[in-house]
Amino acid sequence: MSAETITAGAGAAGAPASGDLKAELRRRGLTDVDDTTLTRAMYSTDASIYRVVPQIVARPRHVDELDALLDASRTLGVPLTMRGAGTSIAGNAVGTGIVVDTVRHLNRVLEIDPETRTALVEPGLIHANLQKAAAPHGLRFGPDPSTHPRCTIGGMIGNNACGSRALGYGRTADNVVDLDVAYAADGDVPAQLAALVEAHLGHVRTSFGRFSRQVSGYSLEHLLPERRSLDKFLVGSEGTLAVVRRARVRLVPEVARHLVVLGYADMFEAADAVPALLAAVGQQDVSTEGSALVACEGMDARIADLVRARGGSVPQLPRGAGWLMVEVVDPELLTTVVAAAGALDHRVVTDAAEAAALWRIREDGAGLASRSLPTPAYSGWEDAAVPPAQLGAWLRDFDALLREHDLDGVPYGHFGDGCVHVRIDFKFDDGGASFRDFMTASAHKLAEYGGSLSGEHGDGRARSELLSIMYPEESVRLFGAVKAICDPANVLNPGVLVDPAPLDADLRPARPRTREGVPALRFLHDEGSFGNAVHRCTGVGKCVAATSAGVMCPSYQATREEKDSTRGRARVLQEALDGALVQGVQDPAVHEALDLCLSCKGCSSDCPTGIDMATYKSEVLHQTYSGKVRPRTHYLLGRLPQWVRMSAPVAPLSNAVMRIKPLASLARATAGIDQRRSIPTFATTTLRRSQRKAQKSAQQSAQGAGAEQAPDVWVWADSFTDHFFPRSGHAAIQVLEAAGLRVRVIEESACCGLTWVTTGQLDQARSIMERTVRTLAPYVDSGVPVIGLEPSCLATLRSDATELTADPAAARVAVGVRTFAELLTDLVGEGRVRMPDLTGTEIVAQPHCHHSSVLGWSADEKLLRDAGATLTKVAGCCGLAGNFGMEKGHYEVSVAVAETHLMPAVRANPGAVVLADGMSCRVQLADLADVETLHLAELLASRLEG
């Protein structure tokens, strides 16, 4: 324990009202404190099923402000709850008083000491950022929870987090060297705790630390005289005993690891194999750089099936319906593992990308498992653990309990440690009574195995009440005595561990939905319920990762504000529909949360639970403005295809007018466009018009030579390709005709209605979509391939068509219109098209966000790599995103989004071809980088021989 350990000042209790509390905290020097409706709604829940609205949220800028917060809490009698990334599954990070968010400011690595292999960090430091700082020294922080891209070191200390590789690296408690903490108590806390344990030595020796994942309650074994470590004891105390100011943690050498996947008939048989594996391979601390069993993880087939169903890629798995993912340091141990496994089948994964993909699926387990059953599944009974020798028997008994209570769940987790994660399809329509019955029955059954209610996530509000079932009465009394020593006023995270809140109190899913109404969209995957859709968010927080290799969530990556994350927005929408704080979707808090949503749809593919915030934003805008006057941009930018069709006959004149600066400025002001934006140039001849002439000539020739032959490919001229970038269409036709294919452009106008959708003009969007479906369906039904060239328009057909209309043809059109790359892939495979040789061509590719999230860019990527191109694929969104980046008030964020991935990639590759199929991406690159961009079709057309 650091010599800097302090105690909070004493004072008289007397809880102030919310406004008074904000003033009091400001008086004490805290500047970043927020009691707005928006913020209180966002912080009313974590990743658990509990909803507790705080009085205020504080984001301390310095550890001294932590001291001030603790002093205010004790003096005023206001509860204080520490919060890291908000990924706590048991309700550990919600509270009625002050919720303290350390991520915003207290997030630094203060020191890396390669000699002692330690790091000094602030509590809000994100795990991934510690790894990044340690990596140049060949070191890493050992424990790696599945939430490692966003969880904080302080949060890991609070819950004694472990992660997938605890067999090799240990728990957080095993990797803490020293804690600098503040207590809400006077006196010599360490001496009082030591005396308490001295008085109960026999009980502490026999009741605590019986196996590695016994982390429920307080870990009193760390206070035994022979191993006394107050620092390790405080790990896992869930913010109920002290506030962590700084932490010194152990680092270990980064070593190569080797993965084998073992297949079994089911998860029970996978669990049965664990004891033999542990006995055959053994465990050894990786920090000694010896051979070690680093990980032994269980994964259920239903999780892999869900990834496939959502269009994701799952590397080849061995036969079976349940798998163990076993990782070792010494590759020679793989033979020993396979021999001891008794598996149906196995596969040694040697490809690093495949191994990373498998671990990514495992890391997304919590979110995926919540959607792996016919109805939503929830946390609550989340991470119980038993001694590994008992794992198979426990899983069978647990499964029987689920059946007995008419429930189901998908087990997965840290099988080598005996720790099982599961999401269960609890029914909350009885107010939580059945939830209580199951939780209590499971606790009694677990006690028969000598298990722990929590194996790494803490007890929180979900399981603290059950500690009296797991532990004898003397242990529970000791917990109370510890709390009285460290926090006599009970202001630190009250309701957790000691004097617990009822486990069925404050259940978020049990709240009635009072403001849902009838949505305009069909919400096909959520039983037609907008409420069900927004409650997909379980708070796993992948959207608030320190960095993102996907599209989600571009505005959060730019601003680092919780309100601009997918999770923050979902929480506000949940509160709007069934809470008491936010008054429906028209509440200003909802619109503030949604303002910077780019409608990129990145969350629809990147979020493990399948949140689609773009769709929710459209529904909110529809409900808010239906029958009312809308913002001006909705009428102008939101109906852009309508205006460009009207102006097409005078396109040259329009372009000339827009070159006159005063008139261009007036046009921007009228349309609500930021003055720093360029206005895209209209095509003087649309794609349909130019091809109509060519086709007419071809028809005349055909009449002379006989009947005109049917085309091999139809091109759908969406509004943006037709009126702004017809050269993309001409290039696609050129590439296909060079291969001897007959190509024709669909003559009828067929707009997808995208701009109406994104601005929430859903009644009009529905009418437009129904006309488009009627237009395109005969072409799709003919069996001749139909391609679309603008990713956002094609994505609207695939993702929004069936949500807008019940016409059965919409589903056929949705899957029937294909990307240029998808068609080329088939044609190349059939030998009908030969890709140009792109060897030596350096490409920076910015996939349109809808291309990545809805259509999938894998076909494009494979074509380019197979053709020999050197490819840099840009992650994330370009930042323009349709009308978002054009509108006044969004320019700075639009540019900041571009600077997260796109602009650095372009600057780092100055001579590369910049590939961008989407109009938004092309306009953004023209505005910010003044670089020429090409559509995939244009690139290939430029490389045709002859």
Side-chain angles (χ1 to χ4, degrees):
M1 181 65 62
S2 168
E4 297 180 5
T5 298
I6 67 168
T7 59
S18 178
D20 294 338
L21 179 57
K22 182 176 182 178
E24 179 63 25
L25 293 180
R26 287 191 178 279
R27 188 184 69 78
R28 291 169 182 264
L30 285 114
T31 57
D32 194 348
V33 288
D34 192 342
D35 61 358
T36 61
T37 295
L38 172 65
T39 297
R40 294 171 67 211
M42 289 190 299
Y43 285 79
S44 65
T45 188
D46 44 20
S48 72
I49 55 175
Y50 295 94
R51 172 190 175 272
V52 180
V53 180
Q55 283 183 254
I56 198 165
V57 174
R59 304 180 184 96
R61 298 178 182 275
H62 188 273
V63 291
D64 290 346
E65 292 189 12
L66 282 176
D67 303 338
L69 281 167
L70 184 54
D71 181 71
S73 172
R74 184 183 179 194
T75 302
L76 302 173
V78 179
L80 185 142
T81 300
M82 300 300 295
R83 174 184 169 113
T87 55
S88 301
I89 291 173
N92 329 58
V94 291
T96 59
I98 306 168
V99 170
V100 183
D101 181 349
T102 59
V103 176
R104 184 67 173 167
H105 305 298
L106 296 181
N107 54 21
R108 296 178 300 164
V109 177
L110 301 174
E111 175 186 286
I112 298 286
D113 187 340
E115 296 298 320
T116 62
R117 291 181 178 174
T118 63
L120 182 64
V121 304
E122 292 180 325
L125 174 67
I126 293 173
H127 179 284
N129 288 342
L130 174 55
Q131 303 292 47
K132 184 178 180 180
H137 305 284
L139 301 172
R140 59 166 288 155
F141 184 58
D144 56 350
S146 60
T147 54
H148 61 86
R150 62 266 191 198
C151 72
T152 66
I153 301 303
M156 294 178 67
I157 290 169
N159 293 348
N160 198 7
C162 304
S164 299
R165 298 184 172 94
L167 285 174
Y169 296 116
R171 308 161 301 174
T172 298
D174 303 313
N175 291 274
V176 163
V177 176
D178 180 73
L179 295 180
D180 171 11
V181 303
Y183 294 109
D186 297 315
D188 190 340
V189 169
Q192 293 178 59
L193 290 173
L196 178 67
V197 171
E198 288 280 0
H200 298 84
L201 280 178
H203 181 76
V204 173
R205 289 191 197 283
T206 56
S207 299
F208 296 91
R210 292 176 291 105
F211 68 105
S212 65
R213 291 300 183 105
Q214 183 189 347
V215 303
S216 278
Y218 295 133
S219 299
L220 291 168
E221 70 273 15
H222 293 299
L223 296 181
L224 289 168
E226 65 272 18
R227 58 190 298 189
R228 186 166 294 152
S229 171
L230 189 53
D231 303 292
K232 295 184 185 302
F233 164 73
L234 288 173
V235 176
S237 58
E238 304 181 42
T240 64
L241 301 181
V243 172
V244 176
R245 303 171 81 243
R246 298 183 183 92
R248 185 170 292 278
V249 297
R250 180 181 73 143
L251 303 176
V252 296
E254 181 64 279
V255 294
R257 299 180 296 270
H258 306 272
L259 175 65
V260 59
V261 183
L262 308 166
Y264 298 88
D266 52 39
M267 296 303 291
F268 306 131
E269 292 194 12
D272 290 338
V274 168
L277 285 173
L278 295 177
V281 182
Q283 295 170 243
Q284 186 173 342
D285 191 332
V286 172
S287 67
T288 65
E289 302 181 59
S291 300
L293 183 64
V294 181
C296 181
E297 296 291 290
M299 186 171 75
D300 189 282
R302 286 173 286 184
I303 291 177
D305 289 344
L306 181 62
V307 174
R308 295 188 188 98
R310 291 175 53 182
S313 175
V314 178
Q316 178 187 346
L317 290 164
R319 286 183 297 119
W323 298 281
L324 291 179
M325 298 169 59
V326 178
E327 199 173 63
V328 296
V329 173
D330 184 352
E332 294 184 5
L333 281 177
L334 293 173
T335 303
T336 305
V337 168
V338 172
L344 291 174
D345 193 9
H346 74 276
R347 180 180 177 227
V348 175
V349 182
T350 56
D351 182 82
E354 285 192 320
L358 285 170
W359 283 116
R360 194 155 47 244
I361 293 169
R362 167 57 194 86
E363 289 170 359
D364 286 342
L368 294 170
S370 69
R371 309 302 303 184
S372 295
L373 301 171
T375 55
Y378 302 90
S379 62
W381 188 268
E382 171 63 33
D383 61 314
V386 297
Q390 305 290 328
L391 183 59
W394 160 244
L395 269 183
R396 289 179 174 86
D397 276 354
F398 181 70
D399 187 69
L401 272 173
L402 287 170
R403 308 298 167 216
E404 181 182 330
H405 289 261
D406 193 26
L407 297 171
D408 197 3
V410 179
Y412 65 99
H414 316 302
F415 278 27
D417 293 292
C419 182
V420 180
H421 293 303
V422 64
R423 293 292 167 102
I424 300 172
D425 58 349
F426 294 116
K427 312 298 186 291
F428 292 101
D429 51 6
D430 56 5
S434 58
F435 172 72
R436 167 174 284 279
D437 289 345
F438 176 80
M439 295 285 286
T440 304
S442 294
H444 281 291
K445 179 58 69 174
L446 182 73
E448 296 177 16
Y449 285 89
S452 180
L453 294 164
S454 171
E456 66 173 332
H457 288 303
D459 299 300
R461 294 171 181 271
R463 296 181 289 267
S464 291
E465 186 188 350
L466 303 174
L467 288 172
S468 60
I469 296 173
M470 173 183 165
Y471 283 108
E473 185 177 347
E474 185 175 355
S475 295
V476 176
R477 284 200 304 269
L478 280 172
F479 295 160
V482 166
K483 176 74 167 176
I485 291 170
C486 297
D487 178 27
N490 192 27
V491 293
L492 295 180
N493 214 6
V496 174
L497 294 180
V498 174
D499 192 19
L503 63 86
D504 53 354
D506 302 313
L507 290 171
R508 178 167 44 85
R511 295 182 63 84
R513 290 184 191 147
T514 57
R515 308 186 191 91
E516 180 170 342
V518 178
L521 294 169
R522 299 175 69 206
F523 293 106
L524 294 172
H525 302 292
D526 296 285
E527 301 175 321
S529 167
F530 186 26
N532 286 356
V534 301
H535 275 281
R536 278 176 171 263
C537 179
T538 60
V540 294
K542 190 174 181 181
C543 53
V544 295
T547 58
S548 174
V551 180
M552 178 183 73
C553 179
S555 51
Y556 177 80
Q557 291 292 319
T559 70
R560 298 293 170 179
E561 293 283 355
E562 179 77 14
K563 73 178 180 64
D564 300 323
S565 69
T566 304
R567 179 180 68 179
R569 295 177 180 123
R571 293 313 194 204
V572 175
L573 285 171
Q574 291 167 3
E575 189 69 18
L577 295 180
D578 52 37
L581 198 60
V582 180
Q583 300 301 307
V585 298
Q586 298 186 37
D587 192 299
V590 173
H591 290 266
E592 183 179 351
L594 291 174
D595 179 51
L596 297 185
C597 172
L598 285 78
S599 295
C600 69
K601 285 189 177 285
C603 48
S604 67
S605 59
D606 292 353
C607 172
T609 62
I611 285 285
D612 185 353
M613 194 54 63
T615 296
Y616 308 163
K617 182 176 182 178
S618 295
E619 180 66 39
V620 166
L621 292 174
H622 169 81
Q623 292 189 25
T624 299
Y625 294 112
S626 184
K628 301 176 184 177
V629 176
R630 289 176 167 271
R632 194 180 346 156
T633 55
H634 287 200
Y635 296 111
L636 297 172
L637 295 178
R639 299 180 181 181
L640 180 62
Q642 172 184 309
W643 305 125
V644 297
R645 282 197 301 273
M646 293 173 61
S647 63
V650 292
L653 177 61
S654 298
N655 292 335
V657 168
M658 288 303 100
R659 286 194 289 270
I660 302 172
K661 289 185 177 180
L663 294 179
S665 296
L666 178 63
R668 292 189 192 94
T670 302
I673 297 173
D674 191 283
Q675 291 294 338
R676 289 163 287 188
R677 284 294 179 192
S678 65
I679 297 178
T681 302
F682 298 117
T684 54
T685 303
T686 66
L687 176 64
R688 286 187 298 131
R689 184 179 179 187
S690 62
Q691 289 303 301
R692 193 178 299 129
K693 294 179 180 178
Q695 289 165 8
K696 184 176 181 180
S697 174
Q699 286 173 349
Q700 291 172 346
S701 299
Q703 288 172 357
E708 181 189 7
Q709 292 181 300
D712 297 304
V713 179
W714 288 106
V715 175
W716 167 44
D718 61 84
S719 298
F720 298 116
T721 302
D722 200 28
H723 292 279
F724 292 102
F725 287 97
R727 62 179 183 268
S728 301
H730 293 305
I733 293 168
Q734 183 181 353
V735 170
L736 295 172
E737 288 184 339
L741 299 172
R742 294 179 297 275
V743 187
R744 287 191 56 186
V745 175
I746 295 172
E747 292 189 14
E748 298 97 321
S749 174
C751 177
C752 67
L754 168 64
T755 58
W756 283 266
V757 172
T758 56
T759 52
Q761 303 178 75
L762 297 181
D763 292 333
Q764 299 96 320
R766 184 178 300 106
S767 297
I768 293 167
M769 182 62 75
E770 287 173 345
R771 288 197 300 271
T772 295
V773 165
R774 289 194 298 270
T775 299
L776 296 180
Y779 295 95
V780 169
D781 293 343
S782 73
V784 176
V786 180
I787 61 169
L789 296 169
E790 166 57 45
S792 61
C793 295
L794 180 48
T796 302
L797 289 187
R798 287 207 186 160
S799 64
D800 297 307
T802 55
E803 290 286 344
L804 284 166
T805 175
D807 186 340
R812 301 199 303 275
V813 169
V815 298
V817 182
R818 311 177 68 196
T819 71
F820 183 57
E822 288 171 342
L823 176 64
L824 280 185
T825 297
D826 286 350
L827 296 175
V828 169
E830 295 167 4
R832 301 176 68 184
V833 169
R834 182 181 176 184
M835 283 285 290
D837 185 2
L838 298 179
T839 302
T841 303
E842 293 188 14
I843 297 174
V844 172
Q846 169 65 60
H848 189 284
C849 50
H850 292 174
H851 203 153
S852 291
S853 56
V854 177
L855 307 174
W857 203 73
S858 58
D860 303 67
E861 182 171 8
K862 187 175 189 304
L863 285 172
L864 292 168
R865 293 194 188 279
D866 287 351
T870 301
L871 180 64
T872 299
K873 177 188 174 185
V874 179
C877 178
C878 74
L880 190 69
N883 63 300
F884 174 86
M886 302 294 288
E887 292 177 346
K888 288 179 64 176
H890 291 163
Y891 182 82
E892 285 76 13
V893 171
S894 175
V895 173
V897 170
E899 287 292 346
T900 59
H901 295 290
L902 175 58
M903 298 309 296
V906 171
R907 287 193 289 266
N909 299 274
V913 173
V914 180
L915 198 65
D917 287 4
M919 176 176 171
S920 292
C921 308
R922 302 182 83 160
V923 170
Q924 181 78 311
L925 282 161
D927 279 1
L928 302 185
D930 193 25
V931 298
E932 182 183 1
T933 56
L934 296 178
H935 189 284
L936 174 64
E938 294 175 79
L939 170 64
L940 299 185
S942 70
R943 301 304 173 90
L944 291 174
E945 295 179 2

